[in-house]
Amino acid sequence: MKTPNAKKLMYFLAIYKVEEGGFWSRFVEFPAADQGETLEDAVTQATVFLEGIVKDYTKNMQVPLPEPLTIEEFKKKLDPSDGEPVCIVPIFVYPPSPTVRIQLTAKANQIAEVDSYAREHNLTRSELMISAAIDYIRRNS
């Protein structure tokens, strides 16, 4: 069975150093900024922020997301009063899409352990397995 393609969007994130320590970041397409203690933390926080914004736009606001800018367009939209960014990084996000059913093969005792953990944490098996897989991918990318 072929997994359907999901639309993947790439927004650029400008990250700035804070004199007192840490970093702050912003996407020019969205009117908010985020921060982090380290560069890695700033990227992680911005990624979570972007996922929330995407969900909010599509679910609550019911308006289309802003089209991602090219790197050239992004640089032109940066506010010079913010200073020079330490770096600009691409952040990928998947807008909500239809649910897809897949088949998974595992040993019965492994499934029982997953089911038990999921029940204890008020999750479905699918929610737990998808969340764990995405966490693993992000930590190891």
Side-chain angles (χ1 to χ4, degrees), residues 66-138:
E67 282 297 315
L69 302 172
T70 66
I71 188 68
E72 293 81 15
E73 294 168 330
F74 179 83
K75 286 179 178 178
K76 286 179 186 173
K77 288 197 169 217
L78 291 174
D79 186 344
S81 67
D82 290 337
E84 189 68 27
V86 172
C87 62
I88 296 172
V89 295
I91 305 293
F92 296 94
V93 67
Y94 289 90
S97 59
T99 301
V100 176
R101 180 176 288 275
I102 63 168
Q103 184 173 341
L104 183 73
T105 304
K107 295 183 179 179
N109 64 321
Q110 293 171 321
I111 295 297
E113 188 173 352
V114 167
D115 287 347
S116 174
Y117 184 91
R119 271 192 307 277
E120 289 171 15
H121 292 87
N122 297 315
L123 298 168
T124 65
R125 177 193 303 156
S126 294
E127 289 170 333
L128 174 60
M129 294 178 84
I130 292 299
S131 175
I134 288 172
D135 287 347
Y136 179 87
I137 290 166
R138 289 182 179 161

Side-chain angles (χ1 to χ4, degrees), residues 15-18 21-25 34-39 42 86:
I15 301 177
Y16 301 87
K17 184 110 173 104
V18 177
F23 297 87
W24 71 276
S25 62
D34 212 332
Q35 58 188 18
E37 294 295 319
T38 65
L39 193 57
V86 172

